[in-house]
Amino acid sequence: MDYERFFAEKLGDLRTEGRYRVFADLERKAGGFPGAVNHLGPVIEDVTVWCSNDYLGMGQSPVVLEAMHAAIDRCGAGAGGTRNIAGTNHYHVLLERELADLHGKEAALLFTSGYVANLTTLSTIGAMLPDCVMLSDAHNHNSMIAGIKHSRADKRIFAHNDVADLEAKLQSIEPGRPKLVAFESVYSMDGDIAPIQDILDVCGKYDALTFIDEVHAVGMYGECGAGVAEREGLMDRIDIIQGTLAKAFGVIGGYIAGSAAMCDFVRSYGDGFIFSTAIPPGVAAGALASVQYVRAHNDLRGRLQERAATLNAKLTAAGIPVMPSVSHIVPVMVGDPVLCKQAGDALMERHGIYVQPINYPTVPRGTERLRFTPTPLHTDAHMDALVAALKDVWSRLGIKAAA
C-alpha cells in the first residue's frame, strides 16, 4: 500500500470540503492580552485575539506569573514523574485541596488536561461498575464521548438538554442497574446552559450517578467562580464535578471533585492518571494562585458577562447573525465551511483580527460559525473595530446578514 498517498488523499478531502485546519502562529504578549503577534513567515503582524479560551485573561495575570516564577525557582521545571512515582509535589496537594473547597467536596484529583480528566474518570467508572449504563447528552464534548466509549459500558444518548427524553431512557433501564448521567453545564459551541436542577431531579428519581462537565463555567459563574452549579445552589447534589485549569484559570490541567472514596477510586484504578507524568510544579502553583484570586474577585465575572452582552448587542445592531446564547460565548452563524474559513482568513489578513473558523466535526455540517469569546480585557474600541471588520467581510463575501 502507498501509505503516503493515502495520507495525502485524506488531507486533500479536508481541503476540498473546506475543513482543513491551519494554525495561526501566535506569540502572546505578556501583559498585553488580547493582543498577540502573528508570525507569517518573514512577516510579523500585531493581531487582536477574539477566540481565546483564556476567558478572564488570567494567563497574563501578574499574580499567576509571579507564582509560577517562584515555584520554578524553588522546585525546578518538571514534576519528575507520575503522581505515584516521585511526581507528587506539594503544590499538587495544595491545589487539590483548593479545588475540593471551591466545589464544596471532600476531595479533588488533578489530571494533565480536562480531556484526560473526562476520559479517565468516565472510562474507569463505566468499566468497573458492574453492568453500568452510561447516559450521555447528545452534545457532550468529544472527551466525554471517548471516555464512555472506552469504558465499553452500555450507553444511551439522550436528546440535547431534553429532560423528558433522559427520563424515558432512565425509565427503560431495569431497576437496580448502576447508571451514570453525563452532561455539561455550558455547551461551548452554542453557548446554551443545561437545565441542571431538572436533570438532577430525574437522576435522583432513578438512583443515577451524576457527572457534570463545568469546563466552560468554572471561574465564570457563581459567587466564587465554582460554575453554574454553584450559581444555582446545586453543587451538593452532584456526585462528580469536572473542571479545567486551562480556560478561566489561564494555565493548563484538568480535575474532578467529589467524595473522597470516588476520587481515591479513580486515582487508584484510572489508567489516564496512573500512567501520566504529573503537571509541572510551576503550573500547579500558577493554577493555585489563579483559583484563589478568581474566587475572591467576583467583579471579574460581572465584567465578563457585561462584555459578552455588549458585544452581542453591537453585533445584532449591525445585522451580524448572532446565534442565541445565554452564556459568555458569542457565536456568529456562517453556515458554510468554505465561507467560514474565508471569513476567518479575511478578518486576519485585512483587519488583524483573529477568530478561528469552527467547522465539522466540532459542530454539525451546515452550522459552521465564528465563535467569539469577549473577555474583561476587550474594550469598546476592540468591539467597534470587530463590528466594522465583520461588516466589511460579510459584504465582500456575500454572507447572509441577520433578518
Side-chain angles (χ1 to χ4, degrees):
M1 182 176 182
D2 187 340
Y3 298 107
E4 293 302 313
R5 179 179 177 182
F6 171 81
F7 299 146
E9 287 177 349
K10 297 305 291 185
L11 291 171
D13 291 343
L14 291 178
R15 290 186 174 93
T16 299
E17 295 176 34
R19 295 198 293 119
Y20 181 76
R21 301 182 183 196
V22 178
F23 296 155
D25 185 356
L26 300 178
E27 180 183 326
R28 301 186 81 191
K29 296 180 180 180
F33 186 78
V37 172
N38 184 32
H39 292 262
L40 296 169
V43 179
I44 298 176
E45 296 181 348
D46 288 331
V47 298
T48 302
V49 178
W50 271 102
C51 57
S52 174
N53 285 339
D54 188 359
Y55 291 131
L56 299 176
M58 291 302 294
Q60 303 292 318
S61 168
V63 172
V64 176
L65 301 184
E66 289 168 12
M68 294 184 74
H69 281 296
I72 290 171
D73 290 341
R74 183 172 182 171
C75 301
T82 66
R83 290 289 298 276
N84 293 316
I85 305 175
T88 294
N89 188 280
H90 189 53
Y91 286 113
H92 298 131
V93 176
L94 294 176
L95 179 55
E96 286 174 338
R97 289 175 183 168
E98 185 74 25
L99 292 167
D101 188 65
L102 172 67
H103 292 289
K105 298 298 185 184
E106 292 178 340
L109 188 67
L110 286 172
F111 296 83
T112 52
S113 70
Y115 194 105
V116 176
N118 272 339
L119 174 66
T120 303
T121 305
L122 290 170
S123 64
T124 303
I125 292 174
M128 297 196 67
L129 268 178
D131 204 24
C132 179
V133 183
M134 311 281 277
L135 297 99
S136 175
D137 187 286
H139 286 192
N140 275 347
H141 189 264
N142 176 270
S143 58
M144 302 170 79
I145 295 168
I148 293 170
K149 182 178 180 180
H150 190 66
S151 76
R152 299 188 178 181
D154 187 7
K155 69 176 183 293
R156 314 283 168 86
I157 299 172
F158 60 93
H160 178 54
N161 281 346
D162 190 329
V163 179
D165 188 45
L166 171 61
E167 179 160 22
K169 287 180 167 57
L170 283 167
Q171 196 172 37
S172 70
I173 300 168
E174 312 87 276
R177 282 188 73 179
K179 297 170 285 290
L180 182 146
V181 175
F183 62 103
E184 301 181 40
S185 57
V186 176
Y187 288 85
S188 64
M189 291 301 132
D190 293 328
D192 56 338
I193 292 177
I196 300 175
Q197 181 168 329
D198 293 340
I199 289 174
L200 296 179
D201 288 345
V202 169
C203 290
K205 184 176 177 181
Y206 295 93
D207 190 29
L209 277 173
T210 51
F211 180 105
I212 190 170
D213 177 318
E214 289 256 38
V215 159
H216 292 275
V218 289
M220 296 168 284
Y221 297 86
E223 184 67 25
C224 297
V228 178
E230 183 204 9
R231 184 188 71 178
E232 299 182 7
L234 298 168
M235 285 197 300
D236 61 316
R237 296 181 56 190
I238 300 171
D239 297 301
I240 306 166
I241 297 174
Q242 184 267 347
T244 186
L245 304 168
K247 294 181 170 57
F249 297 128
V251 197
I252 192 171
Y255 65 90
I256 57 171
S259 71
M262 184 278 298
C263 288
D264 199 10
F265 168 79
V266 176
R267 179 190 73 88
S268 301
Y269 286 99
D271 290 349
F273 178 87
I274 294 170
F275 296 104
S276 289
T277 297
I279 62 174
V283 170
L288 176 62
S290 184
V291 173
Q292 291 172 337
Y293 184 89
V294 169
R295 290 184 73 175
H297 288 80
N298 196 35
D299 56 298
L300 284 172
R301 285 174 280 286
R303 172 71 173 171
L304 174 69
Q305 297 302 328
E306 180 276 323
R307 292 285 79 191
T310 298
L311 179 61
N312 199 314
K314 286 178 177 287
L315 293 175
T316 301
I320 303 299
V322 180
M323 299 170 65
S325 171
V326 293
S327 70
H328 59 284
I329 294 161
V330 183
V332 169
M333 177 61 72
V334 178
D336 177 271
V338 175
L339 279 177
C340 197
K341 185 178 186 309
Q342 289 176 346
D345 290 346
L347 285 168
M348 180 79 95
E349 293 164 5
R350 293 180 56 80
H351 301 282
I353 288 172
Y354 172 53
V355 57
Q356 187 68 23
I358 306 295
N359 293 335
Y360 177 85
T362 306
V363 296
R365 296 181 192 275
T367 68
E368 293 81 8
R369 68 200 64 178
L370 301 176
R371 174 183 174 272
F372 295 93
T373 53
T375 73
L377 300 177
H378 283 90
T379 65
D380 282 348
H382 287 133
M383 293 187 183
D384 291 340
L386 173 63
V387 170
L390 283 168
K391 290 173 70 174
D392 171 65
V393 170
W394 250 239
S395 175
R396 287 178 177 275
L397 296 179
I399 300 174
K400 185 179 179 180

